Amino acid sequence: MPGENLSRDEARERAALLSVDGYEVALDLRSATGESEAEQRTFRSVTAIRFRCATPGASTFADLVAPSVTAVTLNGRELDPAAVFDGARIALDGLADENVLVVDAQCAYSRTGEGLHRFVDPEDGEVYLYTQYEPADARRVFANFEQPDLKAPYRFEVTAPEEWTVWSNGAEETREGGVWRFAETRPVSTYITCVVAGPYHYVTDSYRRGDLEIPLGAMCRKGLAKYFDADDVFLVTKQGLDFFHDVFDYPYPFGKYDQAFVPEYNLGAMENPGLVTFREEYIYRGKVTRAAYERRANVILHEMAHMWFGDLVTMKWWDDLWLKESFADFMGTFSMVEATRFTNGWVTFANNRKAWAYRADQLPSTHPITADIRDLEDAKLNFDGITYAKGAAVLKQLVAYAGREAFLEAARRYFKRHAYGNTTLGDLLTVLEETSGRDMKAWSRSWLETSGVNALTPVVTHDDDGRVSELVVEQEGAEARPHRAAVGLYRLEGGELVRYARAEVDITGARTVVTELSGVERPALVLVNDEDLTYCKVRFDEGSLATLRAHLGDIADPPPSSQPRSSSGYPLARALCWSALWNMTRDALMPAREFVALVLDFAGRESDIGVLQMLHAWARTALVHYVAPDWREEGGRLVAEGALRELRQAEPGSEHQLTWARFFAAVAAVDTDFRFLEGLLAGTEAVEGLDVDQELRWAFLEPLAAHGRADEAVIAAELARDDTASGKRHQVRCLAARPSAAVKAQAWAQVVESDKLSNALVEATIAGFVQPSQRGLIAPYAGKYFEAIERVWAERSIQIGMDVVRGLFPALQDGPGALEATDAWLAEHAGGAPALRRLVLEARDDLARALRAQERDAGVASA
């Protein structure tokens, strides 16, 4: 990554100097199907940029990351490429009032998902291309001014094999032979321009609302066409367009709306206007649960919200990344709950998205929602749980604080006032103050400009008659914030925990008395932040904890008819309790084995499939990282027994049955478990109603490979059954999972010492390499990790660097050795790349947290 960074100061200086009138970009992609490997490495990119300069005679630079530049012309004057191009920037001197820059370059196809990614489908040999730029990889495809506040219109022309189809942000205007020309876009930032090209399977539809008609399209690889449920994608898309037109009162501004599901994608999706890209894993090859469809719907709506928050109105610099990501994360769930069949979306938000936020906000790299982003490397790492999920949670609280209509009216004014422009935090606060009448600057200082998460704990005292004499909420954390929160009181009625009293209060300072609940019947459970209105960690008093240990599964679902589409209800209350207990486990306040026991006792009664899947993930994390090492084997056996019991008891053919089957495979621990998995694969064992489809076969095969029960020949035979791109990723993961020193050495070399693997296969190899059952086998790589990461960070793309640094950190080492090695590396590299140090510091924090949790868990055993 040398020479490719851009600082905030450089961007500000260039934005003050330049304004861009338009781009014309011509790409020749015929080399993608060339016969020689050399031919397939690069493509021709010719860019003409029209721009103005506020200070004639000044100097600046354009951005381009490319193997070579053939020609550079500035205002008709030919510049020597060797003199002005350094591999990342093109120096421009002697600018005029009005300028035209033309750059003819050979750019490189990507294998890392950054820039123009080239993928060869192993199933049929077809080549597929797509672009992915955020935050700053458009410069890998065409010369530009790569910063979000230099917006401009774009015209793309693409030459490609005639049998292909090509798409871009604008609608196709003409197609002559193998040349596609696209309509000029509205002014947008470089990072959301897009090209998709190849023999994609393409389905069309249209959205109509009054006089407005939006052409809709959806595409995937031909090999996935038989699985592609485009009708459901279009259904959610139309529901979202209806919702956003209703609440934003600003018509969708970018013409058509294509959605491309593409291979080897690093992200969930990207909000390119008119051409949204998604990871193709959202096309399901086997049976999945309702939670998977909910996840896809949420992503579709998240990206759609970006058409307004992010594309129409864009942050000036990455400091205000939250202005698009927090809003899209919030609006994705908000719209999904109100406009689609996924009415329990706030349960998933509380249980899943906020767990991501709580983790990120307790790392040493935590930052305010409005972050200090010094450069592009900082920006890349700030697509995190704070910018997305914490920001969304804070916006959810803002709606409770300011009122729904005030919030939405602020959004309407924001779009109309700043359409096709760039904004900062102050621009949003201005419209929020106008519509709400509240002091938003004070709210912003507390919630957007500080970091960390508060913990809210109830303290209850009772009188002699068994009634509440005083209920206090205590707030802990670096800075006490104002919280708008609901406090719910629950009691046992007929074997169920039912809420019988509730108060919505403003919690301020270290101690808040909830006077509204004085004098009511003594509760069995006090749930602070009932309905999940604020962002906090919830704690319990001892009486509530005792209730949950005995009755967590008794917080019963109400009848569906009693729950309005956007209300919380008991599924959310139960999810909040689980989330609070998990936070206590992570914070070493609850022994990990106790959390595991709660999962074994109550997870089988969980009705919400998304919550159940989170519980499985947390239970596995507890087993791998948080239980005392000497209880790990026993705990693993108990969890596997429990998973198999629930699998057999689940309703045949249900999504709960499928979820328990996947969990059982992930935690299989003893010989009988593995023989059962082998029997399910061979057809000699069966569970009534369980369809062992191809995706489930791979899920069963990986633990067998990791425990030495599936060798290379068995894995090859499975690939022969599923010789597809997905099958190849599964095969690579299973091969790297085998318990052999030679296998581990080969996997390490493929990822760390070579750049031959694509981003998807790097990810698969790392996932196979790191097996919790192989701690001793991978222990020797701890030292090699610290020897390699600085070189990897310097030589590889930032995406691969992040994958390696995060994925291969020695988190599975028992004892303090890995922590000490980490501290030594940090001390020796105090002046190292800040982004690299941040990744290592985050991994260190996770490891230190795990060691504290193990110590707490061991204390239970010795007590």
Side-chain angles (χ1 to χ4, degrees):
M1 294 162 273
E4 295 179 13
N5 212 349
L6 174 73
S7 73
R8 176 176 51 203
D9 291 342
E10 289 176 314
R12 283 176 179 165
E13 188 177 313
R14 188 163 62 175
L17 186 66
L18 306 182
S19 55
V20 186
D21 296 317
Y23 286 80
E24 294 180 6
V25 180
L27 306 176
D28 188 344
L29 307 180
R30 290 173 292 181
S31 59
T33 57
E35 294 184 3
S36 71
E37 193 174 314
E39 188 179 1
Q40 295 165 5
R41 289 191 187 122
T42 62
F43 59 93
R44 188 183 182 194
S45 169
V46 181
T47 306
I49 314 175
R50 292 175 285 108
F51 65 99
R52 284 166 285 140
C53 177
T55 307
S59 301
T60 190
F61 60 92
D63 300 294
L64 178 69
V65 177
S68 65
V69 170
T70 306
V72 180
T73 303
L74 177 62
N75 299 330
R77 175 167 50 98
E78 293 187 6
L79 307 181
D80 178 8
V84 299
F85 178 59
D86 66 359
R89 296 181 177 186
I90 300 170
L92 305 174
D93 297 323
L95 298 177
D97 289 336
E98 297 184 355
N99 303 272
V100 177
L101 173 67
V102 180
V103 178
D104 187 344
Q106 287 293 314
C107 294
Y109 293 110
S110 171
R111 293 271 288 156
T112 66
E114 302 152 296
L116 180 59
H117 189 79
R118 178 179 180 272
F119 172 79
V120 181
D121 192 334
E123 190 172 1
D124 55 19
E126 295 280 17
V127 176
Y128 293 88
L129 305 177
Y130 64 86
T131 58
Q132 170 56 37
Y133 297 149
E134 192 174 41
D137 286 319
R139 56 194 171 146
R140 298 183 187 278
V141 177
F142 60 93
N144 59 53
F145 300 115
E146 188 83 280
Q147 57 191 80
D149 59 345
L150 287 177
K151 285 184 161 182
Y154 291 79
R155 279 191 177 275
F156 282 91
E157 175 184 298
V158 179
T159 303
E162 290 192 33
E163 64 274 16
W164 281 14
T165 306
V166 181
W167 296 264
S168 188
N169 304 86
E172 180 185 310
E173 284 189 333
T174 65
R175 176 180 176 179
E176 299 172 5
V179 181
W180 284 259
R181 295 181 179 86
F182 298 94
E184 185 174 72
T185 70
R186 303 302 297 266
V188 295
S189 302
T190 53
Y191 74 91
I192 49 176
T193 59
C194 186
V195 170
V196 173
Y200 284 88
H201 170 72
Y202 185 56
V203 185
T204 61
D205 201 338
S206 64
Y207 169 83
R208 290 178 176 85
R209 183 185 177 92
D211 295 332
L212 177 67
E213 181 173 355
I214 302 172
L216 305 179
M219 69 199 78
C220 67
R221 287 186 297 112
K222 291 191 296 185
L224 288 175
K226 61 185 175 183
Y227 307 109
F228 192 23
D229 53 339
D231 287 348
D232 192 53
V233 171
F234 287 139
L235 172 63
V236 173
T237 301
K238 292 174 185 179
Q239 291 169 331
L241 288 169
D242 273 339
F243 178 85
F244 289 123
H245 280 116
D246 284 340
V247 301
F248 288 162
D249 191 31
Y250 194 108
Y252 171 70
F254 298 109
K256 69 181 179 70
Y257 201 85
D258 282 323
Q259 297 175 95
F261 294 80
V262 297
E264 298 192 323
Y265 203 55
N266 287 324
L267 312 176
M270 185 65 206
E271 67 266 21
N272 316 303
L275 183 53
V276 182
T277 42
F278 298 83
R279 64 187 301 119
E280 69 178 16
E281 285 78 3
Y282 288 124
I283 298 172
Y284 304 118
R285 300 195 316 147
K287 182 178 178 179
V288 296
T289 66
R290 177 184 172 87
Y293 290 104
E294 178 187 318
R295 210 158 30 241
R296 183 175 71 183
N298 186 274
V299 174
I300 289 171
L301 295 168
H302 174 116
E303 302 310 320
M304 188 179 292
H306 273 311
M307 300 299 122
W308 290 267
F309 282 109
D311 294 0
L312 177 66
V313 184
T314 311
M315 69 276 156
K316 283 195 179 201
W317 179 248
W318 302 102
D319 290 349
D320 283 309
L321 175 62
W322 82 281
L323 281 173
K324 72 183 189 77
E325 294 302 349
S326 298
F327 275 88
D329 219 46
F330 170 73
M331 293 304 301
T333 300
F334 186 36
S335 59
M336 183 176 69
V337 168
E338 300 218 347
T340 78
R341 64 189 185 271
F342 302 108
T343 56
N344 263 8
W346 289 123
V347 177
T348 305
F349 182 82
N351 204 237
N352 187 312
R353 299 299 282 180
K354 289 181 79 170
W356 182 28
Y358 294 142
R359 174 188 175 271
D361 213 8
Q362 296 173 87
L363 291 170
S365 58
T366 186
H367 56 84
I369 294 171
T370 55
D372 178 25
I373 304 298
R374 298 160 296 185
D375 55 31
L376 291 177
E377 287 193 8
D378 278 358
K380 182 75 172 179
L381 268 62
N382 260 45
F383 289 82
D384 60 12
I386 294 172
T387 302
Y388 283 72
K390 180 182 178 180
V394 167
L395 290 175
K396 188 170 186 277
Q397 189 220 44
L398 174 62
V399 173
Y401 174 69
R404 172 188 169 121
E405 186 50 38
F407 174 80
L408 293 175
E409 177 57 26
R412 296 175 197 123
R413 295 186 188 186
Y414 180 72
F415 300 142
K416 289 168 185 171
R417 199 170 295 175
H418 301 289
Y420 305 107
N422 296 86
T423 57
T424 63
L425 168 64
D427 297 308
L428 179 69
L429 296 182
T430 296
V431 291
L432 282 167
E433 287 186 339
E434 290 172 4
T435 60
S436 70
R438 289 182 177 266
D439 178 8
M440 297 310 303
K441 293 182 180 64
W443 177 86
S444 173
R445 283 193 295 272
S446 292
W447 283 105
L448 302 180
E449 300 168 49
T450 61
S451 61
V453 57
N454 302 114
L456 302 183
T457 305
V459 179
V460 188
T461 55
H462 313 98
D463 60 24
D464 294 338
D465 295 327
R467 295 190 170 272
V468 175
S469 57
E470 185 179 67
L471 195 159
V472 174
V473 178
E474 294 181 346
Q475 180 175 185
E476 296 176 309
E479 177 176 328
R481 295 187 178 97
H483 296 263
R484 185 68 179 172
V487 179
L489 305 186
Y490 292 74
R491 65 188 174 198
L492 282 165
E493 292 183 2
E496 294 182 345
L497 273 174
V498 177
R499 189 174 72 190
Y500 65 96
R502 172 192 179 276
E504 192 168 316
V505 296
D506 290 318
I507 296 171
T508 57
R511 188 176 186 275
T512 300
V513 179
V514 185
T515 56
E516 296 90 335
L517 295 177
S518 295
V520 303
E521 177 187 337
R522 179 175 183 165
L525 168 67
V526 181
L527 180 56
V528 178
N529 198 30
D530 203 356
E531 301 180 17
D532 199 37
L533 298 183
T534 192
Y535 172 80
C536 67
K537 289 194 291 187
V538 172
R539 303 301 195 206
F540 298 107
D541 63 292
E542 283 302 320
S544 295
L545 265 179
T547 297
L548 290 173
R549 289 186 183 105
H551 298 287
L552 178 53
D554 296 327
I555 306 176
D557 294 357
S561 59
S562 73
Q563 189 176 342
R565 290 176 66 81
S566 58
S567 75
S568 54
Y570 294 96
L572 178 54
R574 194 169 55 245
L576 290 170
C577 290
W578 278 116
S579 177
L581 294 168
W582 177 242
N583 278 320
M584 292 175 65
T585 305
R586 293 188 74 248
D587 292 345
L589 298 176
M590 172 177 278
R593 70 185 67 189
E594 186 173 331
F595 182 84
V596 170
L598 288 169
V599 172
L600 291 175
D601 286 344
F602 298 118
R605 298 169 61 183
E606 181 52 58
S607 60
D608 187 285
I609 197 66
V611 173
L612 178 60
Q613 290 171 344
M614 259 335 270
L615 294 180
H616 288 168
W618 289 341
R620 189 157 190 244
T621 298
L623 274 178
V624 171
H625 296 289
Y626 295 162
V627 302
D630 60 4
W631 192 76
R632 202 177 283 144
E633 183 177 344
E634 181 185 350
R637 179 182 54 77
L638 291 172
V639 170
E641 287 175 358
L644 183 57
R645 181 174 60 251
E646 295 294 346
L647 168 60
R648 294 190 184 280
Q649 292 176 355
E651 180 183 345
S654 68
E655 60 183 2
H656 282 69
Q657 182 188 61
L658 175 62
T659 299
W660 282 107
R662 288 187 168 275
F663 183 54
F664 170 70
V667 298
V670 297
D671 181 70
T672 53
D673 297 339
F674 301 125
R675 282 194 279 113
F676 184 61
L677 289 175
E678 289 166 341
L680 289 172
L681 286 172
T684 57
E685 294 276 7
V687 178
E688 182 186 356
L690 183 66
D691 178 18
V692 184
D693 59 30
Q694 187 57 63
E695 285 296 300
L696 200 54
R697 288 184 65 83
W698 284 114
F700 291 170
L701 187 60
E702 185 186 343
L704 296 176
H707 288 84
R709 302 182 73 112
D711 60 16
E712 187 172 359
V714 172
I715 297 167
E718 198 64 36
L719 180 64
R721 292 175 59 107
D722 184 27
D723 195 6
T724 64
S726 299
K728 181 63 177 176
R729 290 194 298 274
H730 287 305
Q731 178 226 16
V732 166
R733 181 168 175 159
C734 287
L735 287 173
R738 291 171 295 159
S740 155
V743 164
K744 299 304 176 184
Q746 181 183 36
W748 179 272
Q750 288 173 333
V751 169
V752 176
E753 308 300 337
S754 169
D755 62 359
K756 301 282 187 195
L757 295 180
S758 70
N759 55 320
L761 297 186
V762 165
E763 181 182 346
T765 303
I766 291 173
F769 180 91
V770 180
Q771 294 291 328
S773 61
Q774 299 170 2
R775 294 171 192 267
L777 193 59
I778 60 178
Y781 290 91
K784 296 179 180 180
Y785 170 89
F786 290 111
E787 292 170 2
I789 55 174
E790 190 172 33
R791 171 179 55 80
V792 168
W793 191 258
E795 295 176 356
R796 310 286 282 278
S797 76
I798 192 168
Q799 181 63 50
I800 299 300
M802 289 165 58
D803 289 344
V804 169
V805 175
R806 284 175 171 156
L808 292 177
F809 181 83
L812 294 178
Q813 299 297 297
D814 286 329
L819 195 67
E820 293 167 356
T822 306
D823 289 339
W825 185 91
L826 288 166
E828 292 166 6
H829 296 81
L836 172 59
R837 282 182 51 83
R838 170 178 168 167
L839 291 173
V840 176
L841 280 165
E842 290 176 348
R844 182 209 182 275
D845 190 78
D846 282 337
L847 178 59
R849 180 179 292 273
L851 293 175
R852 290 194 298 272
Q854 289 173 22
E855 184 177 0
R856 175 74 173 92
D857 194 62
V860 176
S862 60

